[in-house]
Amino acid sequence: MCRIAAFRLLLPSAIFATLAVASQLVAQMVFAAQIPALQISQQAPTSVPRQPDVSQSLQLTPEERGNMLLAEKHYQAAVEAYKKAPQNSADVWNRMGIAYQQLFNVNEALRCFQVSLKLNPRNGNVLNNIGTIYVSLKNYHTAEGYYRKALKLEPHSAAILKNYGTELMLRGKYKQGGQMYAEAIAEDPTAFQGSSGFSIADPTSTRDRGAMNYYMAKTCARAGMKVAAIDYLRRALSEGYVNPQKIIADDEFASLRGTPDFEKLLAAQKRP
């Protein structure tokens, strides 16, 4: 499923790779039209570790125990385990920050991310995670600075591109945000499909979702994702941002013309 970009928090070398969950999930569609959630990043395997038996559990290091608890979403217990792990590990501090963020303790999450960054200043994933903190605080200018720094280190990261795109959208820079989304899809065609793992509070609840959905429809249309584009157009129409005439006149939707679902969408809008 495809959501308008979630903000991803990135975890370096640990348990699971990219984690993303939107705060308010839209009904299940092939591509769900929704403003993307903030995505937590981490450079790691995509699978969640299997629950060890009792004897194995006793042999886990504090960091491994923290990883297991974080994967199982026992966030407070994960924090306590990480506190006993080596404190000179940037990865430990990053994952501890993610656990705190899931507990809505933004101050402690930011402190952990900053310690992680101090231990490893060239970690684009942590810079991304700090960016998501500032977006959730609506400090978009500061967030943009961190995303720019993150992209200098990780220029091909679909997660960071997606997060940066959403941050731009939140400031009304729809065309620039749409370009970031397009770059994210170019790096990873599945960047907006599905979601699992962690999320942070949806920063778009009071924003103009209609415009975001319209520009996301453009992004999907350019990428050849016709079903997704139509779903985003449907939402933009329902939110009153756009009318059928504007859609028909927009050449970026030329590839959709003549497709049954697109014609049905437009026909439905003409009914009294």
Side-chain angles (χ1 to χ4, degrees):
M1 293 197 325
C2 178
R3 296 184 186 77
I4 301 181
F7 280 96
R8 263 185 167 174
L9 291 160
L10 305 166
L11 275 174
S13 54
I15 38 177
F16 21 69
T18 311
L19 305 167
V21 167
S23 324
Q24 301 173 354
L25 292 174
V26 178
Q28 304 291 308
M29 297 184 261
V30 177
F31 288 86
Q34 178 184 346
I35 306 307
L38 298 177
Q39 189 169 348
I40 305 172
S41 318
Q42 59 178 357
Q43 301 162 341
T46 55
S47 60
V48 174
R50 227 174 34 169
Q51 174 73 36
D53 60 32
V54 176
S55 62
Q56 290 176 318
S57 179
L58 293 174
Q59 297 173 13
L60 294 177
T61 67
E63 181 176 357
E64 291 169 339
R65 187 179 299 279
N67 292 347
M68 182 185 73
L69 292 166
L70 187 61
E72 294 173 351
K73 302 186 180 181
H74 299 310
Y75 303 124
Q76 188 59 54
V79 166
E80 297 307 315
Y82 287 134
K83 285 180 179 178
K84 298 175 183 177
Q87 299 299 286
N88 61 348
S89 167
D91 287 359
V92 165
W93 281 101
N94 189 32
R95 289 192 290 272
M96 195 189 307
I98 289 174
Y100 271 123
Q101 201 163 4
Q102 302 313 299
L103 294 168
F104 304 102
N105 191 334
V106 176
N107 291 335
E108 279 302 301
L110 181 58
R111 183 183 71 85
C112 290
F113 291 146
Q114 288 172 336
V115 173
S116 179
L117 189 62
K118 186 175 181 179
L119 290 168
N120 183 3
R122 297 187 58 79
N123 191 322
N125 293 341
V126 177
L127 287 164
N128 170 80
N129 293 352
I130 294 175
T132 67
I133 291 280
Y134 283 109
V135 168
S136 68
L137 295 174
K138 302 188 187 311
N139 188 338
Y140 302 123
H141 179 74
T142 301
E144 180 175 18
Y146 279 101
Y147 288 137
R148 285 180 175 274
K149 291 178 182 177
L151 285 172
K152 285 183 180 180
L153 296 170
E154 301 285 346
H156 302 293
S157 170
I160 298 173
L161 288 165
K162 186 164 72 168
N163 284 358
Y164 187 19
T166 300
E167 184 271 324
L168 290 168
M169 291 270 191
L170 289 170
R171 289 195 286 145
K173 297 186 176 184
Y174 304 119
K175 290 184 179 180
Q176 297 95 316
Q179 179 59 38
M180 288 296 106
Y181 286 169
E183 290 184 29
I185 291 174
E187 294 293 345
D188 178 6
T190 67
F192 291 84
Q193 294 181 22
S195 131
S196 63
F198 308 126
S199 67
I200 64 177
D202 182 0
T204 65
S205 57
T206 60
R207 303 293 296 187
D208 185 355
R209 293 171 182 269
M212 293 185 178
N213 282 302
Y214 185 67
Y215 279 92
M216 190 61 197
K218 287 174 174 279
T219 300
C220 290
R222 286 195 298 268
M225 299 177 176
K226 294 182 180 181
V227 174
I230 293 170
D231 283 338
Y232 284 118
L233 281 176
R234 182 178 292 110
R235 182 156 290 260
L237 283 163
S238 69
E239 289 163 341
Y241 177 77
V242 68
N243 57 52
Q245 291 72 29
K246 182 176 179 179
I247 294 173
I248 292 171
D250 195 328
D251 289 338
E252 292 205 64
F253 298 120
S255 63
L256 304 181
R257 295 169 191 162
T259 61
D261 287 342
F262 183 68
E263 298 303 329
K264 286 180 184 177
L265 176 65
L266 296 180
Q269 299 299 313
K270 297 176 182 177
R271 293 174 192 155

